[in-house]
Amino acid sequence: MLELRPNCEWCNKSLPPDATDARICSYECTYCAECVETVLFNVCATCGGGLVPRPIRPRYAHREHPKLGLAVHPASTKRVHSKWRDQDVSEISLKLRDIPPAKR
């Protein structure tokens, strides 16, 4: 199940569970759309993969079984910050940004 991290790991912008500008990689690294477009150039700073819109978890359980939704499975409250330096991010994004994520 996705963690739904509460912030952009680069700029620390809050990204609540219903944020439409949250982006994730396949390892759940989480960034805001602005950082993905202007800093990372759609290259995850950690794995080098592409970033896609994060799914929005329903607020409530809409079925009796299974009980799902934020009320049952809340989003994470642990803020995560990137360990990478500006230079590290520039190097990996420059190396990979012109290669489609499916071919990296």
Side-chain angles (χ1 to χ4, degrees):
M1 178 170 325
L2 290 175
E3 251 184 283
L4 298 180
R5 295 177 183 171
N7 65 300
C8 173
E9 295 178 30
W10 191 254
C11 74
N12 202 32
K13 175 183 179 179
S14 291
L15 295 169
D18 61 352
T20 58
D21 63 335
R23 303 290 183 264
I24 61 171
C25 74
S26 67
Y27 291 98
E28 297 186 53
C29 298
T30 304
Y31 303 97
C32 69
E34 184 174 347
C35 286
V36 169
E37 294 166 12
T38 64
V39 177
L40 302 167
F41 300 96
N42 197 34
V43 177
C44 175
T46 301
C47 71
L51 296 140
V52 298
R54 182 180 71 189
I56 295 176
R57 186 170 299 158
R59 293 175 188 243
Y60 310 103
H62 295 284
R63 297 183 179 275
E64 197 55 38
H65 296 306
K67 287 238 184 247
L68 301 173
L70 284 170
V72 179
H73 299 105
S76 174
T77 58
K78 182 181 177 195
R79 295 180 86 80
V80 178
H81 302 282
S82 179
K83 66 180 183 177
W84 307 106
R85 299 172 300 144
D86 289 343
Q87 181 180 346
D88 299 324
V89 171
S90 293
E91 286 174 5
I92 195 168
S93 67
L94 187 59
K95 177 180 169 185
L96 298 173
R97 68 176 130 191
D98 293 328
I99 301 169
K103 297 190 183 229
R104 290 184 193 155

